[in-house]
Amino acid sequence: MSSRRVVLESKDLVAGYLPGVDILTGCNFKLYQGELVGIIGPNGAGKSTLVKSMFGLVEVRSGVVQLLNEEITNLAAHELVRKGVGYVPQTENVFPSLTIAENLQMGAYQLKPNEVQERMKNITDLFPKLGQRLKQRAGLLSGGERQMLAMGRALMMEPSVLLLDEPSAGLSPALQVDVFENVTAINKTGVSIVMVEQNATRCLKISDRGYVLDQGKNAYDGTGEGLLHDPNVIKLYLGTMAESR
Amino acid sequence: MVSGLKVGLLVALASIGLSLIFGVTGLVNFAHSEMVAFGAVIALLLESTVGLNGALFPLAVVLAVLAGGGLGFGLERGIFGPLRRRKMTNISLMVVSIGLAFLMRYLILIYHGAEPETFESFRIQSGVSLGPIELPAKDYFIIGIAFTTLLMVGLLLQRTKLGTSMRAVSDNPALAESSGIDVNRTIMWVWILGSALASLGGTMIGLTQVVEWQMGEKILLLIFAAVTLGGLGTAFGAMVGGLAIGFASETSTFWLDNDLKFLIALAVMIVILLVRPRGILGVRERLG
Ligand SMILES: Nc1ncnc2c1ncn2[C@@H]1O[C@H](COP(=O)(O)OP(=O)(O)OP(=O)(O)O)[C@@H](O)[C@H]1O
Ligand SMILES: [Mg+2]
């Protein structure tokens, strides 16, 4: 694994929203080519903030974010989309007043119309449910359908790196299984993926590696399997042993 | 009735920019009505001092609209863009816009003077009848232009990539940015478009009434009523609201004193908002 290229990396990241309040207090993170990396940790640990600050949505106060060999610290998100990074936010991840088709089109804003048509077909092949309702407003979709649309929107640019913030949040167990299957399938096509998850056990099971975030820092990292069986991680973040099985 | 339609179309034209700008930035721009007055004053200036009158008058209108677009560009580039990027709250930005409105109003007073003036072109016209209605020729011109422009704005918003991105930014700027839309660029286009439309509306209003330094102040309430009535942030809402307000205020003069027409517009707004708090076209998003 370590012989592979690092595609996304953050070093000693300090970032926050309000002046004088740092949420990330020196976060280190690496994503290798083709990997699926899980980020877990308690509520408020700064998982979403880490992903957002690597994607240019939260101001980085010190530290460096690198995409391949290029420094991208504080670059605007739309520039990162052009460079092949896709992002699905944890909440409010569709445009409610736009139709499903328009939501997908906005995902490929930087492409030419004929390319957009082609990509749209690929996405509706992947998510046939969306294809049947292209003219419907996204605000009327159910939680699971929104998650599908948000993922589809991010895939429209065919990113090489995909950042997913709790893609299974709020979904029924059956739909959660679908989401994890989709994520694994997308990863198999060569997309490097960072996935923040509330469902830590399941996330680590499908991840190559994982990071445990606590209070704005990475507390533990290791292979998915390794973290699943690490007594400290189990005690602090995975709940009882019974649950993690 | 036709005069109600005309005023309605013009209020709609003048209001869209206010609604669009609110939609993409959250700014309640009290200077918007001065942007309307700006258009009328520029057109008047071009007509009287540059001599774009008679057959050349349409050129004055076009230039006034372009100047309006330029004004929108300047305000976003010079004032509102930088302030927004410094994370100024919307309330503070609104106060800035009130200050700007006063500044513009008094600049207009200084350069245009206190005397109301009318456009020379189209001043006296005999009626032209079309079926049962008889109107001055300029009214056909005004109604035609306003209607076509509204239609084109509708098509722009619904059918083009730029228009869809404007709606996307209205829905959720952070998500728009994350999707790959250059949000600041989209907001700039909204300012240019909204301000150009305000200028066009102002010129047309000036053509039907008079051009004076207080015209912004007078139309302020009407466009705010129109935008609130239609549903804040939706351009189509502003169109529907503008038509309703213009229509209500004009037709009420049949049985009420002319001075009361603003009151009628406001009464209509309040009654409709009591029934539909989000405005006529404001929609409730499904939660969860
Ligand atoms: N827009 C914001 N403005 C100010 N503070 C914020 C903002 N968003 C998040 N925070 C704060 O940053 C901290 C970390 O939040 P973050 O969303 O990154 O946590 P998280 O690990 O993703 O939690 P969760 O599991 O609940 O999603 C929290 O204390 C939160 O209150
Ligand atoms: Mg989060």
Side-chain angles (χ1 to χ4, degrees):
Chain A
M1 189 66 65
S2 57
S3 64
R4 287 202 225 172
R5 262 203 313 182
V6 179
V7 284
L8 184 66
E9 179 170 14
S10 78
K11 292 179 205 153
D12 302 320
L13 221 53
V14 176
Y17 304 88
L18 306 173
V21 185
D22 294 335
I23 301 296
L24 299 182
T25 52
C27 215
N28 289 290
F29 175 87
K30 259 184 198 175
L31 174 71
Y32 291 92
Q33 180 101 49
E35 256 189 334
L36 172 52
V37 168
I39 300 179
I40 60 170
N43 292 118
K47 306 182 294 293
S48 299
T49 308
L50 172 61
V51 170
K52 283 194 263 181
S53 61
M54 291 195 289
F55 193 63
L57 292 172
V58 175
E59 190 203 340
V60 173
R61 291 170 180 166
S62 76
V64 177
V65 185
Q66 229 168 333
L67 181 68
L68 292 171
N69 294 320
E70 188 185 356
E71 187 182 335
I72 55 161
T73 320
N74 285 329
L75 218 60
H78 73 266
E79 307 268 3
L80 294 179
V81 173
R82 181 170 300 140
K83 293 181 189 296
V85 185
Y87 165 63
V88 181
Q90 179 173 357
T91 54
E92 295 175 16
N93 49 20
V94 301
F95 299 108
S97 78
L98 270 54
T99 64
I100 292 176
E102 286 169 341
N103 265 274
L104 293 175
Q105 279 156 13
M106 289 299 102
Y109 191 72
Q110 296 166 359
L111 299 184
K112 298 195 182 66
N114 55 333
E115 289 175 296
V116 175
Q117 282 312 313
E118 197 187 297
R119 301 278 173 95
M120 198 122 115
K121 199 183 163 297
N122 296 342
I123 299 298
T124 48
D125 285 347
L126 185 63
F127 302 114
K129 265 196 175 162
L130 297 180
Q132 295 153 13
R133 308 166 68 176
L134 285 173
K135 295 266 178 262
Q136 213 178 77
R137 275 169 16 94
L140 303 172
L141 296 178
S142 72
E145 293 161 340
R146 279 182 193 218
Q147 211 62 52
M148 246 183 241
L149 178 58
M151 190 96 85
R153 196 212 77 244
L155 288 173
M156 283 292 281
M157 286 295 283
E158 298 187 348
S160 53
V161 177
L162 190 56
L163 313 172
L164 303 173
D165 197 347
E166 303 203 11
S168 76
L171 302 185
S172 69
L175 283 174
Q176 287 190 12
V177 172
D178 284 355
V179 167
F180 287 119
E181 275 173 5
N182 282 328
V183 171
T184 316
I186 293 163
N187 179 238
K188 289 247 162 64
T189 66
V191 182
S192 316
I193 297 181
V194 181
M195 178 167 68
V196 175
E197 256 303 323
Q198 202 63 241
N199 193 331
T201 311
R202 199 177 260 149
C203 169
L204 290 177
K205 272 185 183 149
I206 64 165
S207 299
D208 297 315
R209 286 188 309 120
Y211 286 81
V212 181
L213 234 63
D214 195 11
Q215 296 178 23
K217 279 198 174 78
N218 35 331
Y220 300 94
D221 56 80
T223 63
E225 277 299 312
L227 289 176
L228 267 178
H229 298 106
D230 184 317
N232 287 324
V233 176
I234 290 169
K235 191 161 146 248
L236 286 168
Y237 308 109
L238 294 180
T240 65
M241 293 293 280
E243 235 176 58
S244 73
R245 287 272 149 76
Chain B
M1 286 301 266
V2 183
S3 127
L5 174 71
K6 183 180 73 181
V7 174
L9 286 170
L10 295 184
V11 172
L13 211 50
S15 312
I16 289 179
L18 177 65
S19 196
L20 281 178
I21 290 168
F22 173 80
V24 293
T25 65
L27 167 70
V28 180
N29 180 17
F30 276 85
H32 194 81
S33 53
E34 303 311 314
M35 288 154 59
V36 174
F38 172 84
V41 171
I42 292 290
L44 191 78
L45 208 72
L46 288 169
E47 188 199 44
S48 58
T49 60
V50 183
L52 296 178
N53 48 24
L56 284 180
F57 184 68
L59 184 60
V61 178
V62 171
L63 290 176
V65 170
L66 291 178
L71 174 69
F73 178 87
L75 291 178
E76 162 66 10
R77 168 60 65 84
I79 302 178
F80 291 104
L83 291 179
R84 194 177 57 247
R85 280 186 283 277
R86 278 179 214 158
K87 309 230 154 50
M88 195 184 235
T89 63
N90 282 331
I91 297 285
S92 311
L93 285 171
M94 187 180 83
V95 174
V96 170
S97 84
I98 294 174
L100 180 69
F102 278 105
L103 179 71
M104 287 178 69
R105 193 173 301 160
Y106 288 105
L107 281 178
I108 291 174
L109 173 64
I110 292 168
Y111 286 102
H112 172 260
E115 283 302 303
E117 285 181 61
T118 52
F119 285 104
E120 223 171 275
S121 318
F122 300 141
R123 188 176 292 166
I124 310 152
Q125 283 194 330
S126 51
V128 177
S129 42
L130 194 79
I133 40 181
E134 182 175 321
L135 292 173
K138 69 172 180 188
D139 281 8
Y140 292 109
F141 172 76
I142 289 169
I143 291 175
I145 298 260
F147 187 77
T148 316
T149 308
L150 290 177
L151 202 68
M152 278 173 18
V153 172
L155 286 176
L156 170 86
L157 286 170
Q158 285 307 120
R159 292 287 148 80
T160 68
K161 201 161 110 172
L162 180 65
T164 312
S165 79
M166 288 175 181
R167 288 185 288 129
V169 174
S170 281
D171 263 11
N172 187 338
L175 184 62
E177 180 72 36
S178 307
S179 301
I181 297 170
D182 185 341
V183 169
N184 285 320
R185 189 171 154 274
T186 304
I187 290 176
M188 177 56 89
W189 279 114
V190 168
W191 270 95
I192 293 173
L193 174 71
S195 181
L197 290 171
S199 256
L200 179 64
T203 313
M204 301 282 145
I205 291 167
L207 265 179
T208 68
Q209 298 161 7
V210 291
V211 180
E212 55 178 339
W213 70 283
Q214 291 146 312
M215 92 186 259
E217 196 181 335
K218 285 187 177 160
I219 194 147
L220 179 72
L221 215 51
L222 283 188
I223 61 179
F224 269 77
V227 164
T228 318
L229 180 60
L232 271 173
T234 80
F236 298 103
M239 293 188 194
V240 174
L243 279 168
I245 291 290
F247 215 74
S249 63
E250 280 305 301
T251 48
S252 67
T253 55
F254 285 134
W255 60 87
L256 280 173
D257 194 65
N258 202 23
D259 294 337
L260 286 177
K261 68 183 181 185
F262 286 109
L263 287 182
I264 294 300
L266 293 178
V268 167
M269 176 183 89
I270 290 168
V271 170
I272 295 189
L273 288 183
L274 280 174
V275 182
R276 276 191 70 94
R278 289 175 152 245
I280 299 174
L281 291 191
V283 278
R284 194 179 302 270
E285 188 194 338
R286 171 173 167 171
L287 297 170

